Amino acid sequence: YYHAPGEYPYIIMLGYDAYFYDENIKNQLWSRLLQIIGFAVFFILFLWIMRTRMIRPVLQLANDVREISQGKPYAPAHYSGSEEIEELSRQIGKISDYVAENKRIENELRNKMSMLKRDKETARIEKHNKLEFLEYVCQELRAPVNSVITRAQTMRDQLYGPIENRKYHQCAADIYQAGNTMQQNLNATVAELDHSLV
């Protein structure tokens, strides 16, 4: 405040009322301090709500996704977040189901492929064994067929004397013809088997 006395108007006296200004400053400081405290409480409450309703569920969902990517089963938890968080949790559950089904199909396909390879190898070995057996049988049949052909030719040509009955002569010719046909078939079969076994 200031005071100008009447007898000396050109002199102005300045003064300071400490009590008045201290009370005024205290009132202003208290109102500002209460505003700051109220804003801080609001901000802390906002951060706490954000952490419990948004950040923590998102971190938990990220952890769930990491476990799904490592092949662990998804155990859905109840999230107390927003609708978006709950929907994201449901979609992650669907992705987990898809990954599990895909893994099951891959395992089933792998098992079927290994069974198919094993069956194919078994069939190949069995075919090879059958072909070897058939080749052996054909080789063994050659000697008796040659013997039959030789005897039939002897009878047909009547080397040891005439055959009285013409029917025997015709039978010998038929045996000779059938033996030659059988020998040709055996030779063709053996050649084909040799080609298959290679």
Side-chain angles (χ1 to χ4, degrees), residues 21-190:
Y21 283 108
D22 285 348
E23 284 296 318
N24 194 13
I25 289 172
K26 284 180 186 178
N27 290 335
Q28 288 181 2
L29 282 178
W30 275 113
S31 66
R32 295 284 186 251
L33 187 60
L34 287 176
Q35 287 176 353
I36 291 171
I37 290 172
F39 180 74
V41 168
F42 172 77
F43 188 68
I44 290 170
L45 184 62
F46 175 75
L47 288 179
W48 180 79
I49 291 173
M50 284 295 292
R51 177 170 173 75
T52 56
R53 303 274 296 172
M54 295 292 287
I55 296 172
R56 190 178 296 157
V58 168
L59 289 175
Q60 183 62 39
L61 287 173
N63 187 40
D64 292 343
V65 170
R66 180 177 54 81
E67 289 181 354
I68 290 171
S69 68
Q70 292 173 352
K72 296 178 182 175
Y74 178 60
H78 178 69
Y79 295 100
S80 60
S82 62
E83 291 180 9
E84 291 83 2
I85 297 291
E86 292 175 3
E87 180 62 26
L88 184 60
S89 173
R90 282 192 292 273
Q91 295 304 323
I92 288 175
K94 289 181 182 179
I95 290 172
S96 173
D97 294 342
Y98 172 77
V99 168
E101 180 67 15
N102 195 22
K103 194 174 291 186
R104 185 192 66 78
I105 291 172
E106 285 179 1
N107 288 337
E108 187 175 331
L109 184 63
R110 192 177 301 114
N111 290 338
K112 287 185 178 180
M113 288 298 290
S114 69
M115 288 172 57
L116 184 64
K117 285 181 182 177
R118 188 175 64 241
D119 291 346
K120 183 179 177 182
E121 184 64 20
T122 302
R124 188 189 68 78
I125 291 171
E126 287 178 0
K127 179 183 176 186
H128 189 269
N129 291 340
K130 287 177 183 178
L131 290 176
E132 282 185 344
F133 174 73
L134 190 57
E135 184 181 21
Y136 172 76
V137 169
C138 290
Q139 294 287 356
E140 290 298 316
L141 283 176
R142 277 182 172 178
V145 169
N146 283 336
S147 178
V148 168
I149 291 172
T150 304
R151 299 280 194 264
Q153 186 177 7
T154 303
M155 291 172 63
R156 186 192 68 176
D157 296 341
Q158 301 178 16
L159 291 177
Y160 300 122
I163 298 176
E164 299 295 330
N165 194 336
R166 292 181 60 82
K167 288 186 179 179
Y168 289 130
H169 184 69
Q170 184 60 39
C171 284
D174 290 344
I175 291 172
Y176 178 78
Q177 181 65 33
N180 278 331
T181 304
M182 188 172 182
Q183 188 177 36
Q184 290 172 1
N185 290 339
L186 284 174
N187 289 337
T189 303
V190 168

